[in-house]
Amino acid sequence: MNPTDIQIVANGKEVGTSQAFEVDSIPYQVIEVHAVFNMNGENYTTEKTSFTVQEKNNQRIQLQLSTDDLKRISDAEEARKLKEKEAQKSEEEKSKILNFLNEYRSAVFSSVANRSNTYARYYDTQSPAYKDMVDFTTGGGVRRAKIDYYRQGALEIQGITEENGIVTVKTYEDFTVYYVDSSRTSQNCKNKTYTLRRMGDSFVILDIVVDF
């Protein structure tokens, strides 16, 4: 990362805001220079360096940072890279969960339309949530509710937390319900909380809580 907000100070006076600067001087005058700059959100000041003005116009001066400041920059850069890596990992995890839930919803909606079970692999099949879904799709729940089919709408992940391999996912979802009585439809908007357990590179559903 390059330094920003550079200030060059010569003999106590600011003379420039970039690594190239000009100083009004006379030959053989002694100039004391230091720089102030920002990097990774932290301000740094170089050690002061003195040089004698030569008759030629251009001179190159090398400014040094203290050992402590060099370590601060190194530590800050490592922290920045770690933060970026964690953010990337978080986005990848969110994308993986979103794909899982989208595939799950597609299976459920297909099962509702066909009064079948094509979603078993997304569940812990010993869980009450799975048994409730089986009862709904193949046990008469869809028929009793006079549902014809669902049309998928939005699925948005609002938050993800994890503890001991158990992942809690809060979502906003909407979908349209079409009934066997085709004269009516209903738009459903729900907040849901999924409890997932990692299973290899994927997940299984342990529980679903719907906030009506």
Side-chain angles (χ1 to χ4, degrees):
M1 180 174 286
N2 294 322
T4 60
D5 302 328
I6 298 172
Q7 294 178 317
I8 306 298
V9 180
N11 289 349
K13 180 181 178 181
E14 183 179 325
V15 295
T17 56
S18 69
Q19 296 179 42
F21 62 93
E22 295 182 355
V23 180
D24 293 330
S25 61
I26 59 176
Y28 308 113
Q29 180 181 357
V30 176
I31 305 290
E32 184 182 71
V33 179
H34 73 274
V36 179
F37 62 92
N38 186 283
M39 186 175 289
N40 288 325
E42 296 285 338
N43 290 323
Y44 298 90
T45 301
T46 68
E47 296 179 338
K48 294 178 180 179
T49 297
S50 295
F51 69 97
T52 301
V53 177
Q54 305 298 319
E55 292 184 358
K56 61 182 180 179
N57 291 328
N58 296 322
Q59 292 177 245
R60 182 176 292 275
I61 306 158
Q62 187 171 2
L63 299 177
Q64 302 284 348
L65 283 168
S66 69
T67 301
D68 287 345
D69 279 344
L70 288 172
K71 187 176 186 306
R72 282 176 63 204
I73 289 176
S74 177
D75 290 347
E77 184 66 9
E78 287 300 315
R80 182 184 68 81
K81 290 179 180 178
L82 180 60
K83 186 175 181 180
E84 288 181 351
K85 185 176 181 180
E86 289 175 346
Q88 181 181 358
K89 183 178 179 181
S90 176
E91 282 302 310
E92 290 173 352
E93 181 77 349
K94 181 177 179 180
S95 178
K96 182 191 295 186
I97 292 172
L98 185 61
N99 289 338
F100 171 83
L101 292 180
N102 269 319
E103 290 176 3
Y104 161 72
R105 285 217 308 171
S106 293
V108 167
F109 289 5
S110 173
S111 296
V112 167
N114 296 297
R115 278 56 169 165
S116 61
N117 178 350
T118 61
Y119 49 77
R121 68 188 182 92
Y122 298 97
Y123 276 96
D124 175 344
T125 55
Q126 301 303 310
S127 67
Y130 174 72
K131 294 172 183 177
D132 288 345
M133 185 58 72
V134 170
D135 180 64
F136 181 64
T137 56
T138 65
V142 173
R143 177 180 52 78
R144 289 191 296 271
K146 298 183 178 180
I147 294 171
D148 189 1
Y149 64 95
Y150 292 157
R151 186 177 68 191
Q152 294 193 53
L155 168 60
E156 300 173 3
I157 291 180
Q158 305 292 332
I160 301 171
T161 57
E162 181 172 0
E163 185 175 355
N164 298 325
I166 302 299
V167 183
T168 303
V169 184
K170 294 184 179 297
T171 68
Y172 164 82
E173 304 180 30
D174 62 53
F175 55 92
T176 305
V177 183
Y178 292 82
Y179 296 90
V180 291
D181 176 0
S182 59
S183 65
R184 60 189 180 119
T185 62
S186 66
Q187 183 72 23
N188 285 257
C189 303
K190 300 181 183 298
N191 294 310
K192 295 184 178 181
T193 300
Y194 292 85
T195 303
L196 312 178
R197 183 175 66 238
R198 292 189 181 278
M199 184 67 68
D201 195 42
S202 187
F203 310 88
V204 291
I205 298 169
L206 301 179
D207 192 24
I208 304 173
V209 176
V210 180
D211 181 4
F212 291 95

